Every structure is written in C-alpha cells, then in structure tokens.
Amino acid sequence: MTYSSKIALMATTATAVLFAGAAMAQEALPAEPAQVDEIVVVGTNIKGARTTAALPVVVADREQIEATGATTGDELLRTIPQMGDVLFDSANNPQTSNSARGDVNSVNLRSLGVGNTLVLLNGRRLVQHPTSQGTSDTGTVPVLSYNSNAIPVAGLERLEVLLDGAAAIYGADAVAGVVNTVLRTDIDGLSFSARYGGAEGTQMRDTELNLFAGKTFDRGNVSLFANYAERTALWASDQDYTRSDDLRPLFADYPDFANVQSLDGRSSHTPWARLSVGSRAVIRSNGVNVTNSAGAFHYQPSSYGCPVSVGNDVCLASGNLNFNGANREMRYDTRYETTVRPSVQRGNLFLTGRYNLTPDIEAFGELGYYTAHSRAVQPPVVNLNQVWIPASNYYNPFGPVRFADGSLNPNRLPGLTNVPTGGLPVLMTNYRFVDVGFQVVKVDNYQARALGGLRGEWHGFNWETALLYSEAGAKDISPNVNMTALQRQMALSTPDAYNPFGGGCSATPSYGDCLPSSQVAADAVRFDLRRVSKTTLTLADFKLSRRDLFHLPGGSVGMAFGLEARRETQKDDRDANVDGTFTFTDMVTGETNLSNVSAVSPNPDTSGSREVFSTYVEFAVPLVSPEMNIPLVHSVDVQLAGRYEHYSDFGSVAKPKIAVAWDVVPGVRLRGSYSEGFRAPNLEQTNATQYGRLASGVDYIRCEADLRANRITTFAGCAQNLSGAQLLVAGNPDLKPEESTNSSYGLVLQPSFIPERFGDFTFTIDRWRIEQEKIVGLLGAQTALALDYLERVGGGSNPLVNRRAPTPEDILLFQGTGLTPVGEVVSINDRFINLQPQTVAGLDVSMNWSLRRTRYGTFIVNVNGSKLEKFTRDPGDIVNQLYAARAAGTINAGTTLPDSSQLIGQNGRPEWRVNASLTWRKGPWRAGASSQYVSAFDQPGLLSSANTPWEVKGRNTINAYVDYEFPDDTRVRVGGRDLTDQGPPLADGGYRGSVYSPWGRYWYVNVSKTF
C-alpha cells in the first residue's frame, strides 16, 4: 500500500472515530429497555442459537440502508467492502446483444466471480437473471447472476451478508457467502414517500415514489409495498472522461502515457469503408492509380490528399486506410451522441400476508413482481463480416458502363483501365452503418415470485414448509443490419441502392455521414434484432428446528433439519438471423455465413434444466457454559452442519461445515469456521453448441514485424489489434463441477471495562481463505495469440489460430524482418475447460459503537473494512511456457501475459475497501455521514512507454444527510453523495465501471408522510 493510500485509509476511519469521540464525552442518561423481536439471522436455521456468534455476518438495518442514499440494489451493495467487481452492468460492453443489458447489475462477494454468491429474499432463493454474458474474469464463458437492481431498496427491513461459506446451510453454490434481503412486513397503516435527485453537471435525474400499506387484525396481517422509480439517461457528452473514445488529452500530464496510442480508443470501423476489388492489375482513372496491387482503395477527406476527387471535399485513393498513422483522425468516436447509462423506468410490487389458522399453525405467503424498461443509445452498428457489393450498385465507382436497363452509369470513374465494361464487384470489410442510425437498445426485464407456506410449533419443534415459484425474463431489442437485405439493396442500380461509398464527413471525420444512403435504403436494411431469455425456479422445502433438542453440561443442543427440492430452467432464444434459421449467402461468391446480422456473431439457441434434491442437518452444540466456571473458557459453542445434494446432471455431493465460538472471558471471543462448497457449471456452459464471439487482442507476430522493421520502438506502440476475428467457443457437457474450501478465524472484542456512559463497543477482526479448483474458463484469444507468436518466431504456428492467406500488403509488412509472412486472423478456436486452482484470502475488520439516549441524542458509528491479502491462480502449463519464453527473450518483454501470480491491486481488485458511517438522532432530527474508501489498483492492459501499468488512484468519498420529522408525521430529508465531487478516478476507458459509478456529486431530497 502506498503512503498516500495509507493516509486516505486512516482518514476514512478517523472520519467516524472523531465524531464518536465527541459524543462519548457526553454524560449518558438512563437507558430505556427496548423490546426486540427474536429473529433468525442468515447463517443458521436454529432460532436463538448461540452459535451465530461464530459467524462473520454484516447486518444493515433500515436506518443504515437509508443513510447510504442508495436508490438501486447495485448502489447499496457497492457500499459493502467485501463486495467485489460489478461485471453485469449497463456500461460494460453494451454495444452487443451478447451482454446482459438493461436494468441489471451483478452480485460478487470476495471478487470470486459472478455465480459464487447466493442471494436470498426473506431467507429463500431468488431466481437468477436470465441473460448470460461473458465477464472480464471469464472471457466469453457465459455466466449468470442475480440481478441486484431487482432488490427493492426502499422496501428493505434489513440486509444480511454472511461472509463465510454456507454450502452446508443453504446450498453448495454459496461459495463466497450469502446475501439475504429481508423486506418490510407486518405494516400497520399507510405511508408514502417521494424522492428526487440528480448528479451535478449531468442530465441524469432520479424520481422515486414508494407506498407502504398494511393492516393488522386479530389473526394476521396483510402488507403491501409498491415502488416506482425513473432515472433519465446519463449521456457521454456530460463529462470529460466519457465524452470521447480518445483519452489522450486526459493523460497529457502523465509523460509516460502521453504518447500511448492505445489510449485512442476510437474505432477502425467507420463510414470510411475498407474496400477492395481483389488482387488484380492496378486500376487507374485517367492515369491516376486508384487501387494498389491488392486491389484495395478507400475514400478520405481532401485534406488528407486527393488523388481523385469525387466531390464534396471527398477523394478516392489507393490502398487501405492506415488508421494507426496518417488517417488516425478518421477513426470513429463511438461516444458521440450516445449514452453511458440508459434511461430506466422500474416498478416493484410486493404483497405479504400471514394468518393464524390455529393457535399453533400460521399460513403465510408472498407475491412479488418487478419490471423494468431501459433505453440506451449506442453507436451505429458495424460490419463484422466480409460482404461483396455487386458490380451493379448504383454508386460503385467500378460499376458497369451501362446498367441493365440501358441507362448510362453516372458514378463510374472516368478513364478507367483494367475494369471491364460490365464492372467489378467490391469487397467491403470494416465499415460502420452511420446512415442507418444509432442503435436505440430497448430492454424489458421482469421477475415474478409467488410463495405460500405453513409454519408452526409441534411438541417443542418449530417447523415450516413452503412452495415457491419464480421466473424472470428479459427481452432485448436493438436495430441492426440484415446482411441478406443489405446485399440485395446494394445490388440495385437506382439511387435507392445502399451506398457504402463516399465515406463520412470531411469536416468531422470522426463522426457523422454527410453522404448518406436514402431513407428508403436505410429502412430496407435495418431490422429489430431480438434476444429473449427466461429462467424459472420451482422450489419446495420443509424445515424443522428446535433450540433444546437435548441437554449437555454446557447447555441445550439445538438442531435444524431440512429437505429441499428445486427445479431450475434456462432458455436463451436468439434471433432467427443469428441462431442458424436464416443464414447469409453471398450472391457474388456463394459463401455462407451462419449469421445474417452485420454486427452479431452466430449464436444458437440454448436451453437446459436440472433438478436438485437436498437435505441438511445442523446442530448448535454448547460445549461449555458460563455456569461451569472454567478459567479462560467462559463458553464454547460449536455449529456442525452437513448437506447432501443430488443434481440430475452431475450426480451427488455432500459438504460439511464446522464453526466454533470460544469466549475466553466475557467480551473476548475467538471464532473460526471451515466449510466446503461445490458449484455446478451453469446450464449454458454445458448445453451450448459452438458459437462465435468477437475476439479482441493484439496480434503479436505482426507487432514483432513492425518492431524489426523499425516502424515502432516498443510493443507499447503496437496497434496490430484484431479486426473482425471470431473466437469460436464450444460448450462442454463433460465439464466437472468447481470445488471449494472456505476457512476463517477471528477475534471479537466487546470491552466491558469501558464505562457504560461511553457507550457500547464491538471490534472484530477475521482472516479468511477460499480455495477453488476446476474453475470453468477458457484459455482466451490473447493467450492463443501469444502462443502463436512464440511458435512462429520458432518457425511453427498455433493450429487454434486460423488466418487468411497473406496478401501482398501482408508480404510487404513482413519484408526484411526474417519472419514468414502471415495473413490476418480470421478466427480462434476455444472450448470451456476446467482450469487451474484459485486461492483468495483476506482480512475483515470492523468497529461498531453506539451511545443511546443521551441528552445530546443517540450516536451510532460503524466502520467496516476488507483487505485482500492473496488472490492467485495457477496459470497452467501453456502460460508458464510463455513466461519462460518472455524471460529468455524469445518473445518481446512487452508481450502482455495473464499475470495470475498475484491479482490483488489489478483491474477491479483493490487491496482495501473501507466503509465508515456515523448516524445521529434526537427528537425529530436525524443526520448522518459516511465515507467510502477504495484503494488504488493497476491496469496491466494499459502500459506506459516504459511497460509499467497505469495506476487507477484510490478514492475516498463523503456522503451526508439531514432530516426532520414534523409533528404531522411528515419527514423531509436532504442528502448528498460524493460531497467533495471526487468522481471516478481516471482509468482506461475513462473510468472503471466495475468499481465506480460514472458520476460525481449527487444531491437528493426525500419527503415521506405517515397517515
């Protein structure tokens, strides 16, 4: 940790402690007894069990939740220091329907990865969000997550986070822990609240309405919570770090990064098309070369040179565009007139009820419904496939002398040589359909839940049984270009032919199209691409518990026993134009592409289901009680649990857990636990047939050619990025489940020697460690390219990397380098496999202090911090081979390799996260302040000229609120988040969305009324 990081961390803690010290100096008034209902906190199924003291649990009550100022589940969970990267996010790769888009965010305790945290609602499972996506941790391995934005924050009674493996209690997939959201129930009366807020300097505004209504009667209660929230879009133009893909001006003050070309993230897919008539004799117009020997030509503004003018300050020139050199400013800026976050309208309804059928039996039920509609504006779609423009195209500069109807072609270049009178077809590769319009992405999500059950007492046993059905659906609709319709429209010999010739705008070459196709043409090629996904969860369970099953000298032994049967289904229905129903056959070459969409890889529909039967048993065993008067052993309590699960597709598994709490003396507790976990591959990982994804990476063998030819001085200056290549991924029904072990030990101090007038203190410190094996993953495109680089400098090749035959330009690129010329990468083959082990370890610390009912009010301070101390993965034989080659100088030292020896402080894994809060209330007044600190971390993918990674600086944000309750039960709250307007620290892409939200200071006002 750097010195500045340590200072920021200490300041975070001091923010709360200084407030605490001022309050502690006040004289306490006599405390009034408080009536607290006995509740079962996540971590055990035994009501009143002393073994809950052995478990590291973070509980945030309604007041603490309100103090965060969070309006969404994502904003709330980001305040928990143990929560890791948020990888399902509206700003994470939103330009493809292969991502989970819309009102969705993920849950990821300990940064173990999406899918390792179990999320509950009122103690029972939630259905997963149905749309899968590959995340930065898994590459293109599809993973599923619970949607944190479906959590109705305003309706929460409390949030419980178990920071311990809970496979033996809740299910083998609770590897990193459990998040339990408990909704408000037993409402008696009517209350209403309204909130309005917004981020300074942006167009983003929030409006939220909440209704709570309920009635308690002799034998039960019915409660209703209704919520409506609306958030306007956050536009890229609102802030400097989102305004442009070209971030070089933001890094100008950092000399080592000032000239790093990778900071210019503008796209080589532009309206300035990459065109070719194929290898043939050079074509000339009135004696001027308009193609090279490879048949390549392009359009450019006249300011870049004008071999042949075609009017409107646009000229035709031979060769491909060099977007890494003289034509860099013609790259397309995808941030232009697009959104960073979509506009969202969200609704939540939750109805709960209970009714005493008899004095010993109660019926209960839940009905819940969440719905959301989002609208994002994304850049115009690109062409990822090769497509031939027929010779008959009206705008083709190498078209026929006369069209089929006998009319003279007005757009054929004059004085052409080496072009037949019938014209030539033109191959189009890189292109952006700017004249078709921006992608307006509309996503509709819903989640429905119905539960009914019975509970009661029988001969000293508490029992409960319930039947749950829940489903979630998502419909993603975005405009795209139909390849068959496109080529049909490009074959026309009329002005309504689609026109990819002529480029964009000379005055603004990075955006816009000043020579667009006709509206008829644009409408003819555009269609709505659809992705519809759905998951269901059906669950039946029975629970039986008793806190005093039998007695030992140390006290009563508690027991819980349960049975659970559940069925899970998932279906991902891809558009008929990408699932193989409608394919594209090029009318010029006859070649077929499984995708009929310009910007989406072929992807078959996937579906799957599994049934899981489980049974568990849990014991709370008091080995030593205070009454036994054993020196230095005030009490010892043990939790023993085991769970057996049978999966219909993976067989059976049994997992144990043991947790111990040892009170040395009153107020000094040692605790520890050991558990095992098991995570089955999700339904898409096992059921998917081969599909394609756009592969990203650097083609290092071409970088080596640039280096040897002195076109670059270091690999940091290389811009040989893949363009249009596909990563061909196959599912694997033979995947084995991931296995895990989880251990922790810690200390809890509740010092009794501090006088009562100074309040109640609790200090905790816990070390934890999680080891996982057989993690499902891919080798990835970049590793395959690095291996291909190593093999080719030795005269071989990587057979998984598929390339085109070298073109004359490719041969020229490699000339004089001593390397065998290679063509561009077409595709890379990969398959889901069980990878090497992963080990994660860390330290959790907390301090809680409360001073209640003094003459100056009630004060509560909470400090919660988490430190990552180890995060490593065994890289495997292939990556180890690459490291050895780099160390030996066989491959260049600037070759980026996955560094899994220590992943702490890289990308979204900061070493420290700390949250501190102070709340105060007295009479009608309430106020609170909180701070959130995230330490610095590196981005290995962004290297300086000296091959050092960019450091995303640490950040400490301050939030505060104050509210007042009027005598008529009207309460008004005014608050702000990030009061010092820190905003997200500068990072590759402008900011790191998996760690930070892309806005700074945010103000809000909330008005509530109870009737």
Side-chain angles (χ1 to χ4, degrees):
M1 183 186 293
T2 63
Y3 178 75
S4 59
S5 298
K6 292 178 181 177
I7 293 296
L9 176 59
M10 289 187 290
T12 302
T13 306
T15 302
V17 175
L18 286 176
F19 283 124
M24 283 163 50
Q26 312 303 327
E27 182 177 353
L29 295 177
E32 298 176 3
Q35 183 66 37
V36 180
D37 292 334
E38 185 178 53
I39 60 174
V40 179
V41 178
V42 65
T44 181
N45 285 303
I46 305 172
K47 185 179 295 186
R50 287 185 359 211
T51 50
T52 56
L55 305 174
V57 179
V58 174
V59 180
D61 60 19
R62 192 190 313 171
E63 187 173 50
Q64 291 172 294
I65 292 170
E66 291 175 352
T68 66
T71 60
T72 68
D74 174 56
E75 292 172 358
L76 175 62
L77 294 183
R78 284 180 191 250
T79 66
I80 300 171
Q82 292 80 9
M83 198 63 66
D85 308 20
V86 179
L87 298 174
F88 277 39
D89 185 88
S90 56
N92 184 10
N93 200 23
Q95 298 179 29
T96 169
S97 63
N98 290 326
S99 289
R101 304 190 289 192
D103 184 45
V104 57
N105 287 95
S106 57
V107 182
N108 181 16
L109 276 174
R110 304 296 193 195
S111 289
L112 282 187
V114 173
N116 285 283
T117 305
L118 180 61
V119 182
L120 309 175
L121 178 64
N122 294 337
R124 284 184 171 86
R125 287 176 176 263
L126 277 170
V127 68
Q128 289 187 317
H129 183 73
T131 306
S132 66
Q133 80 169 43
T135 64
S136 60
D137 268 357
T138 64
T140 60
V141 178
V143 293
L144 296 169
S145 175
Y146 300 95
N147 182 8
S148 63
N149 279 349
I151 298 172
V153 175
L156 290 182
E157 179 67 28
R158 66 184 184 273
L159 177 70
E160 304 169 352
V161 183
L162 175 62
L163 304 172
D164 197 19
I169 306 295
Y170 294 105
D173 49 356
V175 176
V178 179
V179 175
N180 185 31
T181 53
V182 182
L183 295 181
R184 291 179 58 181
T185 57
D186 287 335
I187 300 169
D188 194 13
L190 177 67
S191 63
F192 173 83
S193 68
R195 170 181 166 138
Y196 181 78
E200 279 189 17
T202 75
Q203 301 174 62
M204 189 184 77
R205 298 293 180 266
D206 283 313
T207 303
E208 184 175 22
L209 304 173
N210 297 292
L211 174 69
F212 300 89
K215 176 65 176 177
T216 298
F217 44 91
D218 290 342
R219 300 177 66 174
N221 175 274
V222 176
S223 298
L224 172 69
F225 163 68
N227 163 269
Y228 174 78
E230 181 174 323
R231 171 171 284 180
T232 58
L234 180 68
W235 290 86
S237 59
D238 287 345
Q239 295 161 119
D240 290 342
Y241 51 87
T242 59
R243 186 164 293 136
S244 173
D245 287 322
D246 187 2
L247 300 174
R248 291 175 297 175
L250 299 180
F251 287 79
D253 294 334
Y254 304 91
D256 288 346
F257 290 87
N259 297 313
V260 174
Q261 295 298 333
S262 62
L263 288 169
D264 182 4
R266 290 176 295 179
S267 173
S268 60
H269 286 86
T270 82
W272 308 96
R274 186 171 180 174
L275 304 165
S276 172
V277 291
S279 297
R280 60 179 56 249
V282 171
I283 297 174
R284 296 177 176 86
S285 173
N286 292 331
V288 178
N289 289 4
V290 290
T291 70
N292 61 12
S293 59
F297 68 99
H298 66 274
Y299 293 84
Q300 63 188 27
S302 59
S303 58
Y304 289 78
C306 194
V308 175
S309 175
V310 294
N312 296 299
D313 289 327
V314 175
C315 301
L316 190 150
S318 67
N320 280 324
L321 284 164
N322 181 12
F323 286 117
N324 299 316
N327 301 102
R328 176 170 285 277
E329 296 307 310
M330 294 170 62
R331 286 173 171 261
Y332 188 83
D333 198 331
T334 66
R335 305 285 180 93
Y336 175 70
E337 292 191 353
T338 62
T339 57
V340 177
R341 294 292 178 96
S343 61
V344 176
Q345 295 84 43
R346 182 187 308 116
N348 254 301
L349 282 172
F350 212 85
L351 177 69
T352 62
R354 58 178 178 81
Y355 183 77
N356 293 326
L357 298 174
T358 71
D360 296 324
I361 300 177
E362 180 182 70
F364 62 96
E366 301 174 3
L367 289 175
Y369 190 79
Y370 151 85
T371 181
H373 174 77
S374 67
R375 181 182 185 275
V377 180
Q378 299 299 322
V381 299
V382 301
N383 178 53
L384 297 180
N385 307 306
Q386 294 189 114
V387 58
W388 283 90
I389 305 165
S392 58
N393 181 274
Y394 180 77
Y395 300 98
N396 184 356
F398 308 124
V401 174
R402 291 184 178 275
F403 293 124
D405 62 0
S407 61
L408 192 66
N409 184 350
N411 294 306
R412 180 180 167 115
L413 290 177
L416 286 177
T417 61
N418 299 317
V419 178
T421 58
L424 291 173
V426 175
L427 177 66
M428 181 175 73
T429 52
N430 287 24
Y431 182 67
R432 188 175 296 271
F433 299 91
V434 175
D435 51 5
V436 175
F438 290 90
Q439 293 184 78
V440 179
V441 180
K442 299 176 182 178
V443 182
D444 291 302
N445 294 330
Y446 80 90
Q447 190 167 298
R449 178 181 175 96
L451 180 147
L454 299 171
R455 57 186 165 221
E457 260 190 71
W458 176 76
H459 294 290
F461 286 89
N462 294 309
W463 61 271
E464 184 174 309
T465 185
L467 180 63
L468 165 69
Y469 176 78
S470 186
E471 67 178 42
K475 181 169 66 175
D476 184 313
I477 300 176
S478 60
N480 216 296
V481 171
N482 183 295
M483 294 296 291
T484 300
L486 171 68
Q487 195 174 53
R488 184 169 57 242
Q489 202 70 22
M490 289 194 299
L492 296 180
S493 301
T494 69
D496 281 333
Y498 185 80
N499 178 20
F501 303 101
C505 294
S506 297
T508 57
S510 281
Y511 59 85
D513 188 343
C514 293
L515 293 171
S517 302
S518 70
Q519 191 63 49
V520 171
D523 291 343
V525 304
R526 183 175 50 232
F527 82 108
D528 282 338
L529 178 75
R530 295 173 180 266
R531 181 184 183 184
V532 180
S533 49
K534 181 180 178 180
T535 50
T536 68
L537 169 66
T538 306
L539 181 149
D541 64 14
F542 175 78
K543 304 175 183 180
L544 187 69
S545 69
R546 181 168 179 166
R547 62 189 302 177
D548 56 353
L549 181 66
F550 60 89
H551 300 281
L552 293 176
S556 299
V557 175
M559 185 274 291
F561 167 79
L563 299 171
E564 180 185 291
R566 70 179 190 269
R567 174 179 168 82
E568 301 169 345
T569 70
Q570 191 235 355
K571 181 175 177 59
D572 195 354
D573 185 5
R574 298 300 186 114
D575 195 280
N577 289 283
V578 297
D579 70 4
T581 303
F582 302 131
T583 60
F584 170 63
T585 301
D586 195 299
M587 66 172 63
V588 176
T589 66
E591 293 182 358
T592 298
N593 190 314
L594 293 178
S595 173
N596 192 35
V597 182
S598 70
V600 181
S601 307
N603 206 120
D605 298 339
T606 59
S607 63
S609 65
R610 67 164 50 114
E611 292 78 40
V612 184
F613 171 80
S614 59
T615 180
Y616 70 88
V617 63
E618 176 191 354
F619 293 98
V621 184
L623 296 182
V624 179
S625 69
E627 292 76 18
M628 297 171 72
N629 295 317
I630 300 177
L632 298 181
V633 186
H634 183 69
S635 66
V636 176
D637 294 285
V638 177
Q639 180 191 52
L640 297 172
R643 188 180 185 99
Y644 167 86
E645 293 191 333
H646 176 75
Y647 288 74
S648 59
D649 50 353
F650 283 100
S652 302
V653 62
K655 295 299 177 184
K657 178 171 185 174
I658 180 172
V660 180
W662 168 23
D663 283 13
V664 181
V665 295
V668 179
R669 175 178 300 133
L670 299 175
R671 64 186 181 188
S673 70
Y674 172 86
S675 61
E676 295 181 3
F678 164 99
R679 188 167 76 111
N682 66 50
L683 295 172
E684 192 159 337
Q685 292 169 2
T686 56
N687 290 282
T689 54
Q690 188 181 75
Y691 61 85
R693 290 288 184 269
L694 183 64
S696 61
V698 179
D699 194 349
Y700 285 121
I701 189 62
R702 298 172 77 89
C703 294
E704 181 70 20
D706 282 341
L707 189 68
R708 295 188 184 187
N710 297 317
R711 290 185 288 267
I712 58 175
T713 57
T714 68
F715 263 30
C718 180
Q720 295 285 357
N721 297 319
L722 296 188
S723 177
Q726 297 289 306
L727 185 68
L728 302 177
V729 181
N732 186 354
D734 298 323
L735 282 173
K736 298 185 183 303
E738 300 173 359
E739 304 274 355
S740 65
T741 60
N742 191 316
S743 59
S744 68
Y745 60 92
L747 174 66
V748 181
L749 295 177
Q750 294 175 305
S752 57
F753 58 84
I754 299 177
E756 187 178 343
R757 67 178 182 275
F758 292 127
D760 297 323
F761 289 85
T762 300
F763 301 91
T764 69
I765 180 169
D766 292 279
R767 287 191 178 278
W768 54 272
R769 181 184 181 92
I770 302 172
E771 297 178 354
Q772 291 179 290
E773 296 179 343
K774 305 175 186 175
I775 298 171
V776 176
L778 295 167
L779 288 177
Q782 193 61 81
T783 299
L785 290 170
L787 182 60
D788 191 56
Y789 171 33
L790 173 61
E791 294 291 341
R792 289 186 182 277
V793 295
S797 66
N798 179 1
L800 297 180
V801 177
N802 308 305
R803 296 178 179 272
R804 293 190 178 95
T807 65
E809 287 182 323
D810 294 327
I811 295 172
L812 183 63
L813 178 76
F814 283 85
Q815 185 174 333
T817 65
L819 298 169
T820 302
V822 299
E824 293 185 337
V825 175
V826 177
S827 62
I828 299 171
N829 295 92
D830 213 339
R831 190 186 191 206
F832 301 144
I833 56 175
N834 290 103
L835 296 176
Q836 303 299 316
Q838 171 174 280
T839 301
V840 186
L843 178 73
D844 292 335
V845 295
S846 73
M847 187 276 287
N848 305 102
W849 170 76
S850 62
L851 183 62
R852 302 178 184 276
R853 299 176 180 86
T854 74
R855 65 183 63 181
Y856 298 101
T858 292
F859 300 85
I860 300 175
V861 171
N862 293 285
V863 180
N864 184 12
S866 184
K867 180 187 180 185
L868 275 176
E869 295 186 318
K870 185 173 184 178
F871 204 127
T872 63
R873 294 177 186 147
D874 188 325
D877 295 339
I878 292 176
V879 177
N880 284 331
Q881 177 188 1
L882 292 170
Y883 270 102
R886 192 172 71 174
T890 309
I891 60 177
N892 191 274
T895 307
T896 301
L897 298 176
D899 182 4
S900 55
S901 60
Q902 184 54 274
L903 298 175
I904 297 172
Q906 292 188 24
N907 293 323
R909 302 182 190 90
E911 181 181 14
W912 274 101
R913 295 177 190 251
V914 182
N915 177 266
S917 65
L918 164 70
T919 57
W920 166 82
R921 59 179 180 266
K922 178 175 174 58
W925 287 97
R926 292 185 184 180
S930 66
S931 66
Q932 291 174 305
Y933 170 70
V934 177
S935 64
F937 55 89
D938 292 337
Q939 290 192 296
L942 175 56
L943 298 177
S944 71
S945 57
N947 286 324
T948 57
W950 172 256
E951 181 186 72
V952 180
K953 299 188 182 306
R955 189 187 74 162
N956 188 41
T957 57
I958 306 296
N959 315 308
Y961 72 91
V962 61
D963 74 11
Y964 180 80
E965 185 173 12
F966 293 90
D968 64 348
D969 292 327
T970 299
R971 182 178 291 277
V972 177
R973 172 172 295 191
V974 177
R977 303 204 303 264
D978 192 7
L979 295 180
T980 57
D981 199 21
Q982 297 286 305
L986 186 61
D988 185 11
Y991 72 102
R992 185 73 178 185
S994 62
V995 180
Y996 297 105
S997 295
W999 58 82
R1001 186 158 44 224
Y1002 178 98
W1003 296 102
Y1004 64 93
V1005 59
N1006 189 88
V1007 179
S1008 61
K1009 169 70 174 176
T1010 300
F1011 299 94

